[in-house]
Amino acid sequence: CAAGDGIGIIVGAAIGAGLTMALLSDIIFVAEDAKLSFRFSRLGVLPEANSLWLLPRLIGIQHALDLLMTGRDFTGTEAAALGLFKQALPRDELLAAAQAYAQSLVTNSSPLSLTLIKRLTYGYLQENDRAKAMTEETDWTWWTRSQPDIIEAMTAMGERRVPEWKSSKLDVPLELPPKA
């Protein structure tokens, strides 16, 4: 797994490494009754898989320290209430909900936009200069407005139909192209 690995689901228990690896997904659905724990402190070791960096960013430092320092068990319902996961559902609804969410992204959101949203959102977690991030985001925004997806999106909206996206995540350059 790597940061930004898409949509995940947790059906049963996710304890220790099973939970920290699951956190590497972008969006996670969890069973309401899932048994979860960052049990590392109870074993005398540190959490891994970047969880000390990630968890406070997801749920705030106070909740992160509570879960990490106590190593206590908690449920999917509690995790969703803390903002750790997108949604807690009965087990038999998890897969359908995750698939419906993924299908909605594929249908309604431009691959180009999704790629940049993920790239910039994760990148800005390390950026301390808000003005710099705003300038870069604005430059990328103007670049996306020169791409075919905006025309397709506006046409589809006017025709009250689902867009037929023209882009692929492979169409997004690693760096912003120079302005013409």
PDB file of all heavy atoms in Angstrom, residues 27-67:
ATOM      1  N   ILE A  27      -9.884   6.709   1.072  1.00  0.00           N
ATOM      2  CA  ILE A  27     -11.209   6.764   1.676  1.00  0.00           C
ATOM      3  C   ILE A  27     -11.543   5.355   2.128  1.00  0.00           C
ATOM      4  O   ILE A  27     -11.357   4.389   1.388  1.00  0.00           O
ATOM      5  CB  ILE A  27     -12.240   7.290   0.667  1.00  0.00           C
ATOM      6  CG1 ILE A  27     -11.892   8.745   0.331  1.00  0.00           C
ATOM      7  CG2 ILE A  27     -13.665   7.155   1.191  1.00  0.00           C
ATOM      8  CD1 ILE A  27     -12.631   9.329  -0.818  1.00  0.00           C
ATOM      9  N   ILE A  28     -12.059   5.230   3.370  1.00  0.00           N
ATOM     10  CA  ILE A  28     -12.278   3.912   3.950  1.00  0.00           C
ATOM     11  C   ILE A  28     -13.695   3.798   4.495  1.00  0.00           C
ATOM     12  O   ILE A  28     -14.167   4.671   5.230  1.00  0.00           O
ATOM     13  CB  ILE A  28     -11.271   3.636   5.083  1.00  0.00           C
ATOM     14  CG1 ILE A  28      -9.834   3.795   4.573  1.00  0.00           C
ATOM     15  CG2 ILE A  28     -11.485   2.242   5.679  1.00  0.00           C
ATOM     16  CD1 ILE A  28      -8.789   3.881   5.656  1.00  0.00           C
ATOM     17  N   PHE A  29     -14.349   2.704   4.143  1.00  0.00           N
ATOM     18  CA  PHE A  29     -15.620   2.318   4.723  1.00  0.00           C
ATOM     19  C   PHE A  29     -15.326   1.211   5.725  1.00  0.00           C
ATOM     20  O   PHE A  29     -14.461   0.366   5.480  1.00  0.00           O
ATOM     21  CB  PHE A  29     -16.572   1.800   3.639  1.00  0.00           C
ATOM     22  CG  PHE A  29     -17.026   2.852   2.670  1.00  0.00           C
ATOM     23  CD1 PHE A  29     -16.216   3.236   1.609  1.00  0.00           C
ATOM     24  CD2 PHE A  29     -18.262   3.464   2.812  1.00  0.00           C
ATOM     25  CE1 PHE A  29     -16.627   4.205   0.709  1.00  0.00           C
ATOM     26  CE2 PHE A  29     -18.685   4.436   1.911  1.00  0.00           C
ATOM     27  CZ  PHE A  29     -17.875   4.804   0.858  1.00  0.00           C
ATOM     28  N   VAL A  30     -16.053   1.193   6.851  1.00  0.00           N
ATOM     29  CA  VAL A  30     -15.763   0.235   7.910  1.00  0.00           C
ATOM     30  C   VAL A  30     -17.056  -0.358   8.446  1.00  0.00           C
ATOM     31  O   VAL A  30     -18.084   0.319   8.485  1.00  0.00           O
ATOM     32  CB  VAL A  30     -14.947   0.919   9.045  1.00  0.00           C
ATOM     33  CG1 VAL A  30     -15.743   2.006   9.735  1.00  0.00           C
ATOM     34  CG2 VAL A  30     -14.425  -0.082  10.059  1.00  0.00           C
ATOM     35  N   ALA A  31     -16.995  -1.614   8.860  1.00  0.00           N
ATOM     36  CA  ALA A  31     -18.144  -2.236   9.523  1.00  0.00           C
ATOM     37  C   ALA A  31     -18.352  -1.563  10.872  1.00  0.00           C
ATOM     38  O   ALA A  31     -17.387  -1.262  11.587  1.00  0.00           O
ATOM     39  CB  ALA A  31     -17.912  -3.731   9.699  1.00  0.00           C
ATOM     40  N   GLU A  32     -19.608  -1.323  11.205  1.00  0.00           N
ATOM     41  CA  GLU A  32     -19.924  -0.670  12.482  1.00  0.00           C
ATOM     42  C   GLU A  32     -19.321  -1.424  13.656  1.00  0.00           C
ATOM     43  O   GLU A  32     -18.818  -0.821  14.605  1.00  0.00           O
ATOM     44  CB  GLU A  32     -21.449  -0.597  12.669  1.00  0.00           C
ATOM     45  CG  GLU A  32     -22.141   0.296  11.684  1.00  0.00           C
ATOM     46  CD  GLU A  32     -23.655   0.103  11.676  1.00  0.00           C
ATOM     47  OE1 GLU A  32     -24.137  -1.026  11.914  1.00  0.00           O
ATOM     48  OE2 GLU A  32     -24.340   1.103  11.413  1.00  0.00           O
ATOM     49  N   ASP A  33     -19.344  -2.747  13.587  1.00  0.00           N
ATOM     50  CA  ASP A  33     -18.869  -3.567  14.700  1.00  0.00           C
ATOM     51  C   ASP A  33     -17.416  -4.041  14.542  1.00  0.00           C
ATOM     52  O   ASP A  33     -16.960  -4.905  15.291  1.00  0.00           O
ATOM     53  CB  ASP A  33     -19.791  -4.769  14.905  1.00  0.00           C
ATOM     54  CG  ASP A  33     -19.808  -5.728  13.720  1.00  0.00           C
ATOM     55  OD1 ASP A  33     -19.314  -5.364  12.622  1.00  0.00           O
ATOM     56  OD2 ASP A  33     -20.324  -6.853  13.883  1.00  0.00           O
ATOM     57  N   ALA A  34     -16.704  -3.458  13.584  1.00  0.00           N
ATOM     58  CA  ALA A  34     -15.300  -3.842  13.410  1.00  0.00           C
ATOM     59  C   ALA A  34     -14.531  -3.589  14.707  1.00  0.00           C
ATOM     60  O   ALA A  34     -14.756  -2.590  15.391  1.00  0.00           O
ATOM     61  CB  ALA A  34     -14.672  -3.050  12.267  1.00  0.00           C
ATOM     62  N   LYS A  35     -13.626  -4.495  15.026  1.00  0.00           N
ATOM     63  CA  LYS A  35     -12.770  -4.341  16.207  1.00  0.00           C
ATOM     64  C   LYS A  35     -11.451  -3.742  15.731  1.00  0.00           C
ATOM     65  O   LYS A  35     -10.736  -4.337  14.920  1.00  0.00           O
ATOM     66  CB  LYS A  35     -12.533  -5.690  16.884  1.00  0.00           C
ATOM     67  CG  LYS A  35     -11.685  -5.600  18.134  1.00  0.00           C
ATOM     68  CD  LYS A  35     -11.509  -6.969  18.773  1.00  0.00           C
ATOM     69  CE  LYS A  35     -10.625  -6.884  19.998  1.00  0.00           C
ATOM     70  NZ  LYS A  35     -10.438  -8.208  20.609  1.00  0.00           N
ATOM     71  N   LEU A  36     -11.132  -2.569  16.247  1.00  0.00           N
ATOM     72  CA  LEU A  36      -9.961  -1.818  15.798  1.00  0.00           C
ATOM     73  C   LEU A  36      -9.074  -1.483  16.986  1.00  0.00           C
ATOM     74  O   LEU A  36      -9.559  -1.272  18.100  1.00  0.00           O
ATOM     75  CB  LEU A  36     -10.417  -0.522  15.115  1.00  0.00           C
ATOM     76  CG  LEU A  36     -11.479  -0.679  14.022  1.00  0.00           C
ATOM     77  CD1 LEU A  36     -12.090   0.662  13.669  1.00  0.00           C
ATOM     78  CD2 LEU A  36     -10.891  -1.344  12.809  1.00  0.00           C
ATOM     79  N   SER A  37      -7.772  -1.405  16.742  1.00  0.00           N
ATOM     80  CA  SER A  37      -6.853  -1.021  17.813  1.00  0.00           C
ATOM     81  C   SER A  37      -5.466  -0.715  17.249  1.00  0.00           C
ATOM     82  O   SER A  37      -4.982  -1.422  16.373  1.00  0.00           O
ATOM     83  CB  SER A  37      -6.729  -2.142  18.850  1.00  0.00           C
ATOM     84  OG  SER A  37      -5.798  -1.759  19.862  1.00  0.00           O
ATOM     85  N   PHE A  38      -4.883   0.341  17.793  1.00  0.00           N
ATOM     86  CA  PHE A  38      -3.456   0.632  17.590  1.00  0.00           C
ATOM     87  C   PHE A  38      -2.766   0.103  18.849  1.00  0.00           C
ATOM     88  O   PHE A  38      -2.399   0.859  19.729  1.00  0.00           O
ATOM     89  CB  PHE A  38      -3.223   2.141  17.449  1.00  0.00           C
ATOM     90  CG  PHE A  38      -3.857   2.751  16.238  1.00  0.00           C
ATOM     91  CD1 PHE A  38      -5.074   3.433  16.330  1.00  0.00           C
ATOM     92  CD2 PHE A  38      -3.244   2.662  15.005  1.00  0.00           C
ATOM     93  CE1 PHE A  38      -5.649   4.004  15.219  1.00  0.00           C
ATOM     94  CE2 PHE A  38      -3.819   3.227  13.880  1.00  0.00           C
ATOM     95  CZ  PHE A  38      -5.031   3.901  13.984  1.00  0.00           C
ATOM     96  N   ARG A  39      -2.580  -1.168  18.957  1.00  0.00           N
ATOM     97  CA  ARG A  39      -2.162  -1.832  20.181  1.00  0.00           C
ATOM     98  C   ARG A  39      -0.662  -1.718  20.481  1.00  0.00           C
ATOM     99  O   ARG A  39      -0.157  -2.305  21.437  1.00  0.00           O
ATOM    100  CB  ARG A  39      -2.560  -3.311  20.080  1.00  0.00           C
ATOM    101  CG  ARG A  39      -2.748  -3.934  21.424  1.00  0.00           C
ATOM    102  CD  ARG A  39      -3.489  -5.215  21.373  1.00  0.00           C
ATOM    103  NE  ARG A  39      -4.917  -4.945  21.252  1.00  0.00           N
ATOM    104  CZ  ARG A  39      -5.813  -5.876  20.990  1.00  0.00           C
ATOM    105  NH1 ARG A  39      -5.445  -7.115  20.822  1.00  0.00           N
ATOM    106  NH2 ARG A  39      -7.080  -5.565  20.912  1.00  0.00           N
ATOM    107  N   PHE A  40       0.052  -0.963  19.723  1.00  0.00           N
ATOM    108  CA  PHE A  40       1.515  -0.924  19.804  1.00  0.00           C
ATOM    109  C   PHE A  40       2.047  -0.579  21.195  1.00  0.00           C
ATOM    110  O   PHE A  40       2.993  -1.199  21.672  1.00  0.00           O
ATOM    111  CB  PHE A  40       2.062   0.071  18.774  1.00  0.00           C
ATOM    112  CG  PHE A  40       1.637  -0.262  17.381  1.00  0.00           C
ATOM    113  CD1 PHE A  40       0.542   0.378  16.800  1.00  0.00           C
ATOM    114  CD2 PHE A  40       2.302  -1.220  16.637  1.00  0.00           C
ATOM    115  CE1 PHE A  40       0.131   0.072  15.511  1.00  0.00           C
ATOM    116  CE2 PHE A  40       1.910  -1.533  15.350  1.00  0.00           C
ATOM    117  CZ  PHE A  40       0.815  -0.894  14.787  1.00  0.00           C
ATOM    118  N   SER A  41       1.475   0.427  21.850  1.00  0.00           N
ATOM    119  CA  SER A  41       1.986   0.840  23.164  1.00  0.00           C
ATOM    120  C   SER A  41       1.856  -0.287  24.183  1.00  0.00           C
ATOM    121  O   SER A  41       2.664  -0.369  25.109  1.00  0.00           O
ATOM    122  CB  SER A  41       1.244   2.087  23.658  1.00  0.00           C
ATOM    123  OG  SER A  41      -0.128   1.803  23.889  1.00  0.00           O
ATOM    124  N   ARG A  42       0.889  -1.139  24.013  1.00  0.00           N
ATOM    125  CA  ARG A  42       0.706  -2.268  24.931  1.00  0.00           C
ATOM    126  C   ARG A  42       1.724  -3.380  24.677  1.00  0.00           C
ATOM    127  O   ARG A  42       1.842  -4.301  25.469  1.00  0.00           O
ATOM    128  CB  ARG A  42      -0.717  -2.813  24.823  1.00  0.00           C
ATOM    129  CG  ARG A  42      -1.734  -1.816  25.327  1.00  0.00           C
ATOM    130  CD  ARG A  42      -3.136  -2.326  25.258  1.00  0.00           C
ATOM    131  NE  ARG A  42      -4.039  -1.291  25.759  1.00  0.00           N
ATOM    132  CZ  ARG A  42      -5.243  -1.535  26.222  1.00  0.00           C
ATOM    133  NH1 ARG A  42      -5.704  -2.771  26.251  1.00  0.00           N
ATOM    134  NH2 ARG A  42      -5.993  -0.547  26.644  1.00  0.00           N
ATOM    135  N   LEU A  43       2.427  -3.258  23.553  1.00  0.00           N
ATOM    136  CA  LEU A  43       3.475  -4.232  23.226  1.00  0.00           C
ATOM    137  C   LEU A  43       4.874  -3.649  23.418  1.00  0.00           C
ATOM    138  O   LEU A  43       5.863  -4.315  23.186  1.00  0.00           O
ATOM    139  CB  LEU A  43       3.313  -4.705  21.776  1.00  0.00           C
ATOM    140  CG  LEU A  43       2.002  -5.405  21.454  1.00  0.00           C
ATOM    141  CD1 LEU A  43       1.891  -5.646  19.953  1.00  0.00           C
ATOM    142  CD2 LEU A  43       1.885  -6.693  22.225  1.00  0.00           C
ATOM    143  N   GLY A  44       4.933  -2.364  23.784  1.00  0.00           N
ATOM    144  CA  GLY A  44       6.222  -1.720  24.002  1.00  0.00           C
ATOM    145  C   GLY A  44       6.926  -1.314  22.722  1.00  0.00           C
ATOM    146  O   GLY A  44       8.151  -1.167  22.714  1.00  0.00           O
ATOM    147  N   VAL A  45       6.172  -1.138  21.636  1.00  0.00           N
ATOM    148  CA  VAL A  45       6.764  -0.729  20.362  1.00  0.00           C
ATOM    149  C   VAL A  45       6.019   0.488  19.811  1.00  0.00           C
ATOM    150  O   VAL A  45       4.970   0.877  20.316  1.00  0.00           O
ATOM    151  CB  VAL A  45       6.745  -1.875  19.320  1.00  0.00           C
ATOM    152  CG1 VAL A  45       7.577  -3.051  19.809  1.00  0.00           C
ATOM    153  CG2 VAL A  45       5.328  -2.316  19.011  1.00  0.00           C
ATOM    154  N   LEU A  46       6.581   1.062  18.760  1.00  0.00           N
ATOM    155  CA  LEU A  46       5.954   2.210  18.101  1.00  0.00           C
ATOM    156  C   LEU A  46       5.085   1.768  16.935  1.00  0.00           C
ATOM    157  O   LEU A  46       5.396   0.781  16.270  1.00  0.00           O
ATOM    158  CB  LEU A  46       7.030   3.156  17.556  1.00  0.00           C
ATOM    159  CG  LEU A  46       7.745   4.044  18.555  1.00  0.00           C
ATOM    160  CD1 LEU A  46       8.833   4.842  17.853  1.00  0.00           C
ATOM    161  CD2 LEU A  46       6.760   4.972  19.241  1.00  0.00           C
ATOM    162  N   PRO A  47       4.010   2.513  16.672  1.00  0.00           N
ATOM    163  CA  PRO A  47       3.225   2.245  15.465  1.00  0.00           C
ATOM    164  C   PRO A  47       4.080   2.449  14.222  1.00  0.00           C
ATOM    165  O   PRO A  47       5.066   3.188  14.246  1.00  0.00           O
ATOM    166  CB  PRO A  47       2.119   3.293  15.525  1.00  0.00           C
ATOM    167  CG  PRO A  47       2.071   3.732  16.945  1.00  0.00           C
ATOM    168  CD  PRO A  47       3.465   3.594  17.464  1.00  0.00           C
ATOM    169  N   GLU A  48       3.666   1.779  13.119  1.00  0.00           N
ATOM    170  CA  GLU A  48       4.431   1.902  11.878  1.00  0.00           C
ATOM    171  C   GLU A  48       3.537   2.398  10.760  1.00  0.00           C
ATOM    172  O   GLU A  48       2.435   2.859  11.005  1.00  0.00           O
ATOM    173  CB  GLU A  48       5.092   0.570  11.526  1.00  0.00           C
ATOM    174  CG  GLU A  48       4.207  -0.440  10.825  1.00  0.00           C
ATOM    175  CD  GLU A  48       3.128  -1.061  11.683  1.00  0.00           C
ATOM    176  OE1 GLU A  48       3.453  -1.982  12.421  1.00  0.00           O
ATOM    177  OE2 GLU A  48       1.975  -0.633  11.593  1.00  0.00           O
ATOM    178  N   ALA A  49       4.044   2.290   9.549  1.00  0.00           N
ATOM    179  CA  ALA A  49       3.329   2.650   8.324  1.00  0.00           C
ATOM    180  C   ALA A  49       2.891   4.110   8.330  1.00  0.00           C
ATOM    181  O   ALA A  49       1.820   4.439   7.833  1.00  0.00           O
ATOM    182  CB  ALA A  49       2.156   1.708   8.076  1.00  0.00           C
ATOM    183  N   ASN A  50       3.716   4.971   8.908  1.00  0.00           N
ATOM    184  CA  ASN A  50       3.488   6.410   8.861  1.00  0.00           C
ATOM    185  C   ASN A  50       2.315   6.875   9.713  1.00  0.00           C
ATOM    186  O   ASN A  50       1.841   7.993   9.570  1.00  0.00           O
ATOM    187  CB  ASN A  50       3.313   6.835   7.401  1.00  0.00           C
ATOM    188  CG  ASN A  50       3.820   8.216   7.102  1.00  0.00           C
ATOM    189  OD1 ASN A  50       3.228   8.886   6.288  1.00  0.00           O
ATOM    190  ND2 ASN A  50       4.882   8.656   7.730  1.00  0.00           N
ATOM    191  N   SER A  51       1.820   6.019  10.611  1.00  0.00           N
ATOM    192  CA  SER A  51       0.622   6.364  11.369  1.00  0.00           C
ATOM    193  C   SER A  51       0.836   7.502  12.366  1.00  0.00           C
ATOM    194  O   SER A  51      -0.106   8.235  12.670  1.00  0.00           O
ATOM    195  CB  SER A  51       0.038   5.139  12.062  1.00  0.00           C
ATOM    196  OG  SER A  51       1.001   4.480  12.840  1.00  0.00           O
ATOM    197  N   LEU A  52       2.048   7.689  12.882  1.00  0.00           N
ATOM    198  CA  LEU A  52       2.293   8.810  13.798  1.00  0.00           C
ATOM    199  C   LEU A  52       2.185  10.153  13.067  1.00  0.00           C
ATOM    200  O   LEU A  52       1.821  11.169  13.664  1.00  0.00           O
ATOM    201  CB  LEU A  52       3.668   8.688  14.456  1.00  0.00           C
ATOM    202  CG  LEU A  52       3.835   7.497  15.391  1.00  0.00           C
ATOM    203  CD1 LEU A  52       5.275   7.403  15.876  1.00  0.00           C
ATOM    204  CD2 LEU A  52       2.869   7.564  16.548  1.00  0.00           C
ATOM    205  N   TRP A  53       2.483  10.169  11.803  1.00  0.00           N
ATOM    206  CA  TRP A  53       2.356  11.370  10.981  1.00  0.00           C
ATOM    207  C   TRP A  53       0.920  11.549  10.513  1.00  0.00           C
ATOM    208  O   TRP A  53       0.373  12.638  10.524  1.00  0.00           O
ATOM    209  CB  TRP A  53       3.297  11.262   9.770  1.00  0.00           C
ATOM    210  CG  TRP A  53       3.240  12.413   8.826  1.00  0.00           C
ATOM    211  CD1 TRP A  53       3.985  13.558   8.895  1.00  0.00           C
ATOM    212  CD2 TRP A  53       2.424  12.530   7.661  1.00  0.00           C
ATOM    213  NE1 TRP A  53       3.662  14.381   7.840  1.00  0.00           N
ATOM    214  CE2 TRP A  53       2.703  13.766   7.065  1.00  0.00           C
ATOM    215  CE3 TRP A  53       1.470  11.708   7.062  1.00  0.00           C
ATOM    216  CZ2 TRP A  53       2.080  14.208   5.913  1.00  0.00           C
ATOM    217  CZ3 TRP A  53       0.844  12.142   5.911  1.00  0.00           C
ATOM    218  CH2 TRP A  53       1.159  13.386   5.356  1.00  0.00           C
ATOM    219  N   LEU A  54       0.295  10.446  10.096  1.00  0.00           N
ATOM    220  CA  LEU A  54      -1.013  10.507   9.459  1.00  0.00           C
ATOM    221  C   LEU A  54      -2.171  10.677  10.436  1.00  0.00           C
ATOM    222  O   LEU A  54      -3.061  11.502  10.215  1.00  0.00           O
ATOM    223  CB  LEU A  54      -1.228   9.233   8.627  1.00  0.00           C
ATOM    224  CG  LEU A  54      -2.540   9.128   7.857  1.00  0.00           C
ATOM    225  CD1 LEU A  54      -2.675  10.265   6.866  1.00  0.00           C
ATOM    226  CD2 LEU A  54      -2.605   7.788   7.146  1.00  0.00           C
ATOM    227  N   LEU A  55      -2.190   9.911  11.505  1.00  0.00           N
ATOM    228  CA  LEU A  55      -3.346   9.891  12.396  1.00  0.00           C
ATOM    229  C   LEU A  55      -3.711  11.270  12.967  1.00  0.00           C
ATOM    230  O   LEU A  55      -4.890  11.645  12.940  1.00  0.00           O
ATOM    231  CB  LEU A  55      -3.133   8.865  13.513  1.00  0.00           C
ATOM    232  CG  LEU A  55      -4.385   8.387  14.223  1.00  0.00           C
ATOM    233  CD1 LEU A  55      -5.378   7.763  13.252  1.00  0.00           C
ATOM    234  CD2 LEU A  55      -4.031   7.397  15.310  1.00  0.00           C
ATOM    235  N   PRO A  56      -2.764  12.071  13.464  1.00  0.00           N
ATOM    236  CA  PRO A  56      -3.142  13.405  13.954  1.00  0.00           C
ATOM    237  C   PRO A  56      -3.735  14.297  12.860  1.00  0.00           C
ATOM    238  O   PRO A  56      -4.587  15.135  13.139  1.00  0.00           O
ATOM    239  CB  PRO A  56      -1.824  13.992  14.469  1.00  0.00           C
ATOM    240  CG  PRO A  56      -0.953  12.822  14.726  1.00  0.00           C
ATOM    241  CD  PRO A  56      -1.346  11.775  13.716  1.00  0.00           C
ATOM    242  N   ARG A  57      -3.310  14.106  11.635  1.00  0.00           N
ATOM    243  CA  ARG A  57      -3.856  14.897  10.529  1.00  0.00           C
ATOM    244  C   ARG A  57      -5.284  14.474  10.194  1.00  0.00           C
ATOM    245  O   ARG A  57      -6.067  15.271   9.703  1.00  0.00           O
ATOM    246  CB  ARG A  57      -2.962  14.764   9.299  1.00  0.00           C
ATOM    247  CG  ARG A  57      -1.662  15.529   9.428  1.00  0.00           C
ATOM    248  CD  ARG A  57      -0.711  15.184   8.287  1.00  0.00           C
ATOM    249  NE  ARG A  57       0.397  16.117   8.196  1.00  0.00           N
ATOM    250  CZ  ARG A  57       1.465  16.104   8.953  1.00  0.00           C
ATOM    251  NH1 ARG A  57       1.593  15.197   9.887  1.00  0.00           N
ATOM    252  NH2 ARG A  57       2.424  16.988   8.784  1.00  0.00           N
ATOM    253  N   LEU A  58      -5.608  13.220  10.437  1.00  0.00           N
ATOM    254  CA  LEU A  58      -6.947  12.720  10.134  1.00  0.00           C
ATOM    255  C   LEU A  58      -7.962  13.058  11.220  1.00  0.00           C
ATOM    256  O   LEU A  58      -9.101  13.409  10.917  1.00  0.00           O
ATOM    257  CB  LEU A  58      -6.914  11.199   9.925  1.00  0.00           C
ATOM    258  CG  LEU A  58      -6.166  10.686   8.712  1.00  0.00           C
ATOM    259  CD1 LEU A  58      -6.086   9.161   8.744  1.00  0.00           C
ATOM    260  CD2 LEU A  58      -6.836  11.160   7.431  1.00  0.00           C
ATOM    261  N   ILE A  59      -7.569  12.918  12.489  1.00  0.00           N
ATOM    262  CA  ILE A  59      -8.556  13.049  13.566  1.00  0.00           C
ATOM    263  C   ILE A  59      -8.167  14.047  14.656  1.00  0.00           C
ATOM    264  O   ILE A  59      -8.881  14.172  15.646  1.00  0.00           O
ATOM    265  CB  ILE A  59      -8.857  11.674  14.201  1.00  0.00           C
ATOM    266  CG1 ILE A  59      -7.626  11.054  14.859  1.00  0.00           C
ATOM    267  CG2 ILE A  59      -9.466  10.742  13.175  1.00  0.00           C
ATOM    268  CD1 ILE A  59      -7.898   9.777  15.635  1.00  0.00           C
ATOM    269  N   GLY A  60      -7.067  14.748  14.486  1.00  0.00           N
ATOM    270  CA  GLY A  60      -6.631  15.700  15.507  1.00  0.00           C
ATOM    271  C   GLY A  60      -5.708  15.026  16.510  1.00  0.00           C
ATOM    272  O   GLY A  60      -5.755  13.807  16.717  1.00  0.00           O
ATOM    273  N   ILE A  61      -4.882  15.832  17.123  1.00  0.00           N
ATOM    274  CA  ILE A  61      -3.844  15.286  18.009  1.00  0.00           C
ATOM    275  C   ILE A  61      -4.414  14.634  19.262  1.00  0.00           C
ATOM    276  O   ILE A  61      -3.954  13.584  19.691  1.00  0.00           O
ATOM    277  CB  ILE A  61      -2.783  16.353  18.361  1.00  0.00           C
ATOM    278  CG1 ILE A  61      -1.585  15.671  19.003  1.00  0.00           C
ATOM    279  CG2 ILE A  61      -3.355  17.445  19.220  1.00  0.00           C
ATOM    280  CD1 ILE A  61      -0.277  16.295  18.694  1.00  0.00           C
ATOM    281  N   GLN A  62      -5.458  15.215  19.855  1.00  0.00           N
ATOM    282  CA  GLN A  62      -5.998  14.658  21.090  1.00  0.00           C
ATOM    283  C   GLN A  62      -6.573  13.263  20.868  1.00  0.00           C
ATOM    284  O   GLN A  62      -6.282  12.328  21.630  1.00  0.00           O
ATOM    285  CB  GLN A  62      -7.069  15.585  21.654  1.00  0.00           C
ATOM    286  CG  GLN A  62      -7.635  15.124  22.975  1.00  0.00           C
ATOM    287  CD  GLN A  62      -8.493  16.180  23.619  1.00  0.00           C
ATOM    288  OE1 GLN A  62      -7.970  17.143  24.148  1.00  0.00           O
ATOM    289  NE2 GLN A  62      -9.800  15.985  23.561  1.00  0.00           N
ATOM    290  N   HIS A  63      -7.367  13.084  19.825  1.00  0.00           N
ATOM    291  CA  HIS A  63      -7.927  11.756  19.538  1.00  0.00           C
ATOM    292  C   HIS A  63      -6.830  10.775  19.114  1.00  0.00           C
ATOM    293  O   HIS A  63      -6.859   9.604  19.507  1.00  0.00           O
ATOM    294  CB  HIS A  63      -8.994  11.846  18.451  1.00  0.00           C
ATOM    295  CG  HIS A  63     -10.221  12.587  18.872  1.00  0.00           C
ATOM    296  ND1 HIS A  63     -10.983  12.232  19.964  1.00  0.00           N
ATOM    297  CD2 HIS A  63     -10.820  13.671  18.339  1.00  0.00           C
ATOM    298  CE1 HIS A  63     -11.994  13.066  20.091  1.00  0.00           C
ATOM    299  NE2 HIS A  63     -11.916  13.952  19.117  1.00  0.00           N
ATOM    300  N   ALA A  64      -5.879  11.267  18.328  1.00  0.00           N
ATOM    301  CA  ALA A  64      -4.780  10.399  17.889  1.00  0.00           C
ATOM    302  C   ALA A  64      -3.971   9.900  19.086  1.00  0.00           C
ATOM    303  O   ALA A  64      -3.682   8.699  19.192  1.00  0.00           O
ATOM    304  CB  ALA A  64      -3.881  11.140  16.904  1.00  0.00           C
ATOM    305  N   LEU A  65      -3.609  10.805  19.967  1.00  0.00           N
ATOM    306  CA  LEU A  65      -2.835  10.392  21.143  1.00  0.00           C
ATOM    307  C   LEU A  65      -3.629   9.437  22.025  1.00  0.00           C
ATOM    308  O   LEU A  65      -3.061   8.479  22.569  1.00  0.00           O
ATOM    309  CB  LEU A  65      -2.374  11.615  21.931  1.00  0.00           C
ATOM    310  CG  LEU A  65      -1.245  12.416  21.286  1.00  0.00           C
ATOM    311  CD1 LEU A  65      -0.963  13.679  22.077  1.00  0.00           C
ATOM    312  CD2 LEU A  65       0.007  11.572  21.130  1.00  0.00           C
ATOM    313  N   ASP A  66      -4.919   9.671  22.165  1.00  0.00           N
ATOM    314  CA  ASP A  66      -5.748   8.755  22.950  1.00  0.00           C
ATOM    315  C   ASP A  66      -5.663   7.347  22.385  1.00  0.00           C
ATOM    316  O   ASP A  66      -5.369   6.390  23.106  1.00  0.00           O
ATOM    317  CB  ASP A  66      -7.206   9.235  22.956  1.00  0.00           C
ATOM    318  CG  ASP A  66      -8.154   8.191  23.514  1.00  0.00           C
ATOM    319  OD1 ASP A  66      -7.877   7.632  24.600  1.00  0.00           O
ATOM    320  OD2 ASP A  66      -9.179   7.914  22.854  1.00  0.00           O
ATOM    321  N   LEU A  67      -5.904   7.204  21.089  1.00  0.00           N
ATOM    322  CA  LEU A  67      -5.899   5.868  20.477  1.00  0.00           C
ATOM    323  C   LEU A  67      -4.515   5.244  20.484  1.00  0.00           C
ATOM    324  O   LEU A  67      -4.368   4.041  20.733  1.00  0.00           O
ATOM    325  CB  LEU A  67      -6.450   5.937  19.055  1.00  0.00           C
ATOM    326  CG  LEU A  67      -7.913   6.357  18.913  1.00  0.00           C
ATOM    327  CD1 LEU A  67      -8.294   6.447  17.443  1.00  0.00           C
ATOM    328  CD2 LEU A  67      -8.838   5.421  19.673  1.00  0.00           C
TER     329      LEU A  67
END
